[in-house]
Amino acid sequence: MHHCGNFSPRALSRREMLARCANGFGAVALTVLMAEKSFGEVVHAEPHNSLAPRQPHFSPKAKSVIFLYMDGGPSQVDTFDPKPRLTAEDGKPFGMKMEATQFNNNGSTLGSPWKFRQYGQCGAPVSELFPHVAECVDDLAIVRSMTSEFSEHTNANYFLHTGSGLQGRPSMGAWAGYGLGSENADLPGFIVLNGGLIPPGGLDNFNSGFLPATYQGSIFKAGANAVANVTPTEASAELQNHKLALMRKLDRGVVSRLGKLDALESSIGNYELAYRMQSAVPELMDMKGETDVTKELYGLNAPLPQTKTFGAQCLLARRLVERGVRFIELTCPNGAGDRWDQHGNLKDGHEKNARFVDQPIAGLLKDLKSRGLLDSTLVVWGGEFGRTPFAQGKNGRDHNPFGFTMWLAGGGVKGGVTFGATDDYGYKAVEDKVAIHDLHATMLHLLGMDHTKLTFRFSGRDMRLTDVYGEVVKDILA
Amino acid sequence: MSFVRTQLRTAAIFRGALSYFAHNISAAAEPAESVEFFEKRIRPVLSEQCYKCHSSTSEKLKGGLMLDSREALLKGGDTGPTITPGDPEKSLLIEAVRWNNTDMQMPPKKSLAPAQIADLGAWVKAGAPWPQEAGAKVAKKAVFDLEKRKQEHWCWQPLLNAPPPAVKDAAWPRTDADRFIIAKLEEKNLKPAPAADRRTLIRRASFDITGLPPTPEQVEAFVSDTSPDAFAKIVDALLASPHFGERWARHWLDLVRYAETRGHEFEPEIPNAWQYRDYVIRALNSDVPYDRFAAEHIAGDLLPPRIHPQTGANEAIIGTGFWFLGEEVHSPVDIRQDETDRMDNRLDVMGKTFLGVTIGCARCHDHKFDAISQRDYYAMQGYLISSGYRQARFETIEPHRQIAQQLDRVRTSTRAALLKNVADAIEPRVARLADALMAARTVLRIPNGTPPPDEGANDSAFVERIAAELKLAKTDPQNPLHAFAKIATTENTDEAKVFAKAFAPVLAALSGVALQSCAPSDVEMRGMAGVLKLSPTQIIADYTRAGSAARRSAATRSADDSSADSLADKSKRTGASRDVPAAPMTPWIQDGFSFGPRPLRVGDPLFGASADQPLLGINVRTAAVRDAAWKSLATKGVQRDVGKLGEWERSEQTLRTPDVALAGERLWYLVKGAGRAYAAVDSHLIIRGPLHGALLREWKADGNRWQWVEHSLKSYAGHRLHVEFSPADDGECAIAMVIQSAEKPPLPGDASARLLTALHGGNTAHGSQQDREESEPRVAREGTDKNAPAAGTALAAKTDAVAKTDPAPPTYPQQKGIREIRVQTLTDPSDPSSRTAIASPIALAEALQRVLLEVCEKIRADKSDDDAMLADWLVRKLDLFAPAGSPERSQLADAVQPLLAPQGELTAKIRPQSQTAPAMFDGSGVDEFILARGQSKLAGAQVPRRFLEAISGAAQPEIKNGSGRLDLAQRITDPANPLTSRVIVNRVWHHLFGRGIVQSVDNLGVLGQPPSHRELLDHLAARFVKEQGWSVKKLIREIVLSRTYEMSSQPTDAAAEQADPENLLLHRTNLRRLEGEAIRDAMLAISGRLDPKLGGPPVPVFLSTFMDGRGKPSRSGPLDGDGRRSIYTAVRRNFLQPMMLAFDTPIPFMTMGRRNVSNVPAQALILMNDPFVVEQAKLWSQRLTANSNPAQRVQQMYLAAFSRPPTPAELADANTFLTEQRTLYGAGLLADEQSWADFAHVLFNVKEFIYLN
């Protein structure tokens, strides 16, 4: 009952099918895609929209990025930026001028409830909140002088993700895909592993903005149906294969009737990718092959269900890196009040949030390292802003975009480095300020791209992730 | 606020720096003037810390600023001169290195050492000496030459008037457009492709015009129609189809970033945004000329209304809703920067949509490429910040305008008669008041309800009512009977001496109340502001000056209304305006008619609605007074804005003040009745979340009294705002003034000292002019009186502190001063009449009766303005003086019945309900500041509102009233403006050919693409304006009926493909992928599920498990969107339909006239596996079961999906597939159904389905 070799339902296993498609028809499709123009060019009739791998501007250090997005804004002075002065002046009036805050309900100086200890050869201090990550400090470049431009979650989220505080711009993952394409022909180039929380601003944090839809982030959820519409509705593979075979045949007729046009052929090729995704995704999500040791490392046996969730995401992130996916973003699990956004009950909320992510993140770093993947994988940790060193009400902290901490690891980043500094209170960055645009410039640099040359003409301008700003933070490069 | 604080702090630090410096100087003994100081301590800092970005050697010069010579420093960069020699405080260089302004910190990464900062300060203080050196460099800023740019780029040039070119193949062209196309092809020796076959053509035209496939019947009818105008008939039918509007509205919505929520964090709804969507559909279907359509977008609220023929609604006003379809933020910390972002988006969208130029690129600096200056940008931004938001009751606003005008006329003509009749009804008992008072006194003095002895009153019921009134009056000093009530119950007051003793304190206390007042005519002439001696900058709105409104609406006013001229006369007589500068008249800005056509004057009647209560009172203070006739307005069943503001009933009942800058921290509203105020600070609208709840203020009525209501706006000092007032309930609501003041202002009087004067001596003439004129100079003299309260002075001092810029510090008249003078006069022992006239209760009662009778006379004569408070009291006491059932009341009812009838007929026509839509609410004119680098904290000079200089020149007449958008609309749609017509014609071409004549449809500027056929574009544009009357339908018709449109898309001519690979010359038609909407709509149409209903509220979006986040709708919509066309699916910014996103429906944030055409696996996955697609395939197959012949069925399906029959091979493939699939399903009826559904599903997936050839 063969219709066409390409979609032979019985003779080939999925894997064989994949191989054949890749070499057969799929290869044709890829060639078509690759023949398209390189990025950065002005509008053409069919805008450049392929995921085929492209040459970076220069030799990249990182092939993939894992962005551990700490939704809500973790407090710098309670995690990686200890401030003895806060402890000394706890409960006293705050010693600096306070800028307007989101709630404008500012209290007195609030010392950190957590103790700090030095770790590793570099001796970087880390608070009790991150005992596992602390073990990896020699791999981290801790940037204590991050600044943002917005005190509101949503603006700050868009800013962190897209370089603009307003809605509708391409997310950094989309830019990475636009610049470099994907190493994996079966999976999207930008994947968001949804741990349960979608940040304020919603899915538009992961969208492709004015870039073609090709580059938008694909949301992966835990479980069998990880990706929208990736599971066939047919009762059996045969039934679907039959349909696809007929479709393929009819499409050939269409090409002969309407002419050999790029658009048509790309569209046909697209089905090959979709078809391959149908098998690639279940294979990706299937953790059976992972050892108990690995699972333990990531905290999959941890007591808190959220730790398990985030651990599974981190493990999945590694699997995606192995498959050449360009940009992976993890969002936090739900269950600690309101993300990292502790306007009150700092102690309880931050403790829970940290427990959800600490062991999984350390597991990810260690696992990547042991597999030799860390060198080519850039891991970035941080939120959209930090928190005020003074209290909101009695026991919370409000948003603080003037100085906060993020860290980077792997992918060409120097380990064991602490860069930049805030003032004595940890309120504002005063040394080596790093703006979000600088972070983006650095990330693109590590991916082998000059952020000033990665442009897309839209709206009468050559748009960039870094707008007209951004400087690579060279001091943290290996 | 923060800016002010920053400056203060800067000063403190600077003092510290100075002392540090002083110390340093003495230690180093090194005067800052010396060259050595410069070379040692200044140049190294500049060189090391600044030259990377600010020198002639910089790789990239930042901010246009060089610091490598003194001249360069003096010249400065984008933000102006860097130093003011001698004055570090005025030097940007010093401000920047101090790092106190978070928007300007240099060096950007790390602050300089304190010593270095001090050195720089000292150096500037010393005059910034710089050694003479050769070759000093000054940054050469590329000179922005607007005129040159205008000359050099085609889009600014007038439309070319090129005649259609001569062509070799004269037989081919059908239209002039065809000539332009073939001429270019012939230049390259190319031939146009042959015409497409009829099936292709009808499918193409049907999708292009209606977004839906033709039915098999339409296809077959066209194929067999041999008449020469067969295609024209098809095209006309398609253009007449209501689906035309739906299709082209979707194109339009891409331009105006149409969405129904504001996005951001919780994405609150943009209430009733869908009304705008339906407006666009209706406008396109009724072929509203494009210039009118565009003008309605810009200024539909100001244009003569376009009335919907069936509903009577004002269509035009809905057009302005497009401005408000953008993103909005709920709790921005920097509220002004947020405003500039919002306005930027509006201006940007407007510029691209209508003009095809990127005005938004001139926000931070002059446009890098186009003839658009930063000045242009902010000049145009002024239009927008002058225009507010409202939910407009577009259905009722025009009918109600008619009613309001007629109501005003009717009332003007019946006013005198009503007043007369009311006076007639009241008067008989007022004439018996003295007796009744005395009798009531007796009642009150006799315990336990012993029946009243008759003391001359023969109306015991009246006596009882008076007694009851006295009980109330006893505690209410505002009540005219208060004095009597106070002493009525006091023992032994009959004896003159004893009475005088008891009366004196009552009188004194009463005088305190009555003397708050000034003569109303004073107020009317100078405004309350003059009376309170407020400085003009403190006054935001002063409705106590009716003058301007009176002049404005003079046409509708009757002669017996006291006119502005007579006011001016009075003013001359009294010289009242001599010492106080006249405040500008407050413009009368209103949404709806609830506050009447103008401020209500003192003495104006408050009209009631029923014969039982024909008047509600007499107005006692010139003010904006809510007209009870409109109190039924209530918009139910429409979407509302989030939070409290949305709950407030404001549509068609809002009074808006002009815009001002808030000097201090609070506003004061002089009001009566319950009301609500929304302080629109920086046009911030969304009031939900931690910040900005303070923008709303609601208050309760204080009986019938006026009150100052405080609106604390701490943290908004320095921000621009206006206030919008609306009533809080069904009751009275009057707004007299809105002022800024640190402390509560005194309550100015609202009636007169009339009663007191009367009580004082029986002098029936009210407080004489002389008395008033004299009192004020005396007050001024008494200013230093030790007895004068300190409050006034303290208040004056604080007010002064707030309003620093006031030339003359405001001082309030010292009220107690007046009082003492008056009381003294009243009890003057040298005036015997003052003691003897009222020496007993009966004398007091008689005095009251006499005064009130006179007031009655004045009411009758419509001259009660100087006695308004007493007149008001009398009218409100109708039940007291003409009780229900009394002959007077019956007579009154009979007399006013016919008078009220016309008013009743009119008010009965008032429609409480209306749909609402987001729309503009024009305000007072405000000019925007030029913001350096687009930063709200770097405000430069204000620029007057005007249109683009490149189009309308630099000298445009000053805009005197309102925002000026009407003028803007005229300039945009002026046929002499070459952009507007080109842009729309190009957009239409783009949608019909898949590519515009200018490919970058939203940008005709330098960075856009050049036109492939400029003469053609200009020809079409000129014809569109002159011959087609801006008719989009005519334009489409002409293009679709051209040869060019007819061509086949098949690339068969190898030479042409070689010579014109991108088909820029249009040697054939472009193959186009259908938009997501058209794909989905086609599925619905073919499956039979399509519900062709037009318009209405959006269908909630179907929520897949992947759609999550804040603001998630509480329920999912139906999978198939109720079978409605895609344009009706809800557009929630953070919950966009995945299928539309995958097929490149733009994310609504900016104008997107040209969609991406991407190719993503999500598209294939949707078509392969999405339950919606599978469901539609199934429906389609079920629909065909009536046809039992499989071959015919396949034929029908091909006709439906592709407008053609299957080839024999395709038919054979279909049969094979169906057979095999049936076998897999295990045969049987169910298997047959499933196989057909599968076949339908396959057809949806064949590329021919989603492509238009």
Side-chain angles (χ1 to χ4, degrees), chain A residues 1 3 10 33 37 42-47 49 97-104 151-155 158 166-169 196 198 200-204 207 209-214 216 219 221 225-234 238-240 242-244 246-247 249-251 254 256-261 263-264 266-268 270-271 273-274 277-278 338-339 402 428-435 438 457-461 471, chain B residues 2 5-6 9 52 60 62 99-100 102 105 108-111 262-265 327 329 331-334 341 348 352 358 361 690-691 715 995 999-1000 1003 1007-1009 1049-1051 1062 1068 1071 1105-1110 1133-1134 1141-1142 1144 1147 1149-1152 1154 1156-1161 1163-1171 1174 1198 1204 1207 1210 1213-1214 1216-1217 1220-1221 1223-1225 1238-1239 1241-1243 1245-1248 1250-1251 1253:
Chain A
M1 226 185 285
H3 295 278
R10 284 176 208 146
L33 298 178
K37 291 174 182 161
V42 293
V43 233
H44 18 88
E46 285 290 297
N49 62 17
K97 181 194 132 196
M98 295 180 193
E99 306 283 348
T101 59
Q102 181 75 92
F103 282 80
N104 256 344
S151 297
E152 306 83 4
H153 289 293
T154 307
N155 289 128
Y158 289 141
L166 297 174
Q167 195 156 9
R169 305 291 174 102
I198 295 291
L203 300 178
D204 219 16
N207 254 326
F210 42 74
L211 293 177
T214 319
Q216 74 198 14
I219 312 293
K221 288 170 72 87
N225 295 313
V227 182
N229 295 316
V230 82
T231 313
T233 53
E234 288 83 2
E238 279 175 313
L239 285 165
Q240 191 191 36
H242 255 147
K243 283 157 105 173
L244 292 172
L246 175 62
M247 184 189 88
K249 197 169 186 188
L250 296 178
D251 273 347
V254 172
S256 64
R257 272 172 38 80
L258 304 185
K260 285 182 81 72
L261 292 155
L264 268 186
S266 308
S267 182
I268 290 165
N270 198 18
Y271 272 74
L273 179 53
M277 269 180 78
Q278 287 188 166
D338 198 5
R339 305 109 75 213
F402 305 106
K428 295 183 174 180
V430 292
E431 255 176 54
D432 298 315
K433 285 206 287 185
V434 178
D438 301 333
R457 181 159 299 177
F458 174 72
S459 180
R461 279 178 66 191
E471 249 179 79
Chain B
S2 64
R5 265 197 237 124
T6 307
R9 196 154 164 275
K52 190 177 165 218
K60 200 182 166 200
K62 299 265 178 83
W99 261 47
N100 286 318
T102 48
Q105 294 178 330
K109 301 288 173 191
K110 187 183 176 181
S111 167
R262 301 189 201 273
H264 202 68
E265 186 165 355
E327 190 186 351
V329 175
S331 291
V333 171
D334 188 340
D341 285 344
D348 190 49
K352 286 176 183 156
T358 53
C361 291
L691 296 179
S715 83
R995 190 182 57 225
Q999 274 190 63
S1000 52
N1003 185 10
L1007 280 197
Q1009 261 87 46
S1049 67
Q1050 209 171 349
E1062 293 201 54
R1068 58 174 168 85
L1071 179 84
T1105 53
F1106 292 85
M1107 297 162 77
D1108 203 352
R1110 295 190 165 193
R1133 282 196 151 84
N1134 293 344
L1141 277 181
D1144 299 296
I1147 296 162
F1149 78 107
M1150 212 184 259
T1151 297
M1152 188 76 110
R1154 177 179 168 283
N1156 282 315
V1157 183
S1158 69
N1159 190 31
V1160 285
Q1163 293 164 357
L1165 287 172
I1166 285 168
L1167 293 176
M1168 282 160 67
N1169 298 329
D1170 193 279
V1174 175
Y1198 263 74
R1204 66 173 176 89
T1207 63
E1210 282 167 336
D1213 287 338
T1216 314
F1217 171 82
E1220 289 177 353
Q1221 208 73 348
T1223 313
L1224 281 177
Y1225 280 119
D1238 283 356
F1239 181 64
H1241 191 196
V1242 169
L1243 293 190
N1245 274 274
V1246 171
K1247 303 304 159 284
E1248 194 171 351
I1250 61 168
Y1251 277 89
N1253 60 308

Side-chain angles (χ1 to χ4, degrees), chain A residues 451-469:
Chain A
H451 69 101
T452 64
K453 291 187 182 144
L454 182 66
T455 63
F456 184 87
R457 181 159 299 177
F458 174 72
S459 180
R461 279 178 66 191
D462 286 337
M463 309 295 272
R464 286 164 37 189
L465 173 60
T466 52
D467 196 352
V468 298
Y469 310 99

Side-chain angles (χ1 to χ4, degrees), chain B residues 406-568:
Chain B
Q406 291 165 23
L407 200 55
D408 192 37
R409 279 199 289 275
V410 164
R411 284 174 169 177
T412 303
S413 65
T414 54
R415 160 186 176 130
L418 281 172
L419 285 166
K420 178 183 173 295
N421 282 302
V422 169
D424 287 348
I426 292 170
E427 192 175 31
R429 279 183 185 75
V430 175
R432 300 203 299 272
L433 181 62
D435 283 351
L437 283 170
M438 291 310 287
R441 174 173 178 262
T442 309
V443 172
L444 291 173
R445 285 154 61 106
I446 294 170
N448 301 330
T450 312
D454 195 316
E455 285 194 27
N458 54 10
D459 185 349
S460 60
F462 183 43
V463 171
E464 275 175 41
R465 285 195 305 275
I466 289 290
E469 181 71 22
L470 285 174
K471 281 184 194 164
L472 294 174
K474 198 174 171 186
T475 54
D476 178 9
Q478 305 266 359
N479 192 310
L481 304 184
H482 177 66
F484 190 85
K486 284 284 272 192
I487 61 159
T489 48
T490 310
E491 291 299 322
N492 300 322
T493 48
D494 287 353
E495 198 262 318
K497 235 179 186 175
V498 178
F499 178 86
K501 201 175 169 191
F503 187 44
V506 175
L507 197 58
L510 187 59
S511 70
V513 175
L515 279 173
Q516 283 180 355
S517 49
C518 307
S521 52
D522 257 13
V523 172
E524 182 114 350
M525 275 177 284
R526 294 185 296 166
M528 197 76 76
V531 174
L532 291 179
K533 300 203 170 163
L534 297 169
S535 78
T537 52
Q538 280 184 284
I539 303 158
I540 293 167
D542 181 357
Y543 300 111
T544 62
R545 298 189 74 204
S548 75
R551 259 193 292 277
R552 270 190 174 189
S553 49
T556 59
R557 304 205 74 186
S558 68
D560 59 29
D561 242 28
S562 55
S563 71
D565 289 344
S566 73
L567 273 178

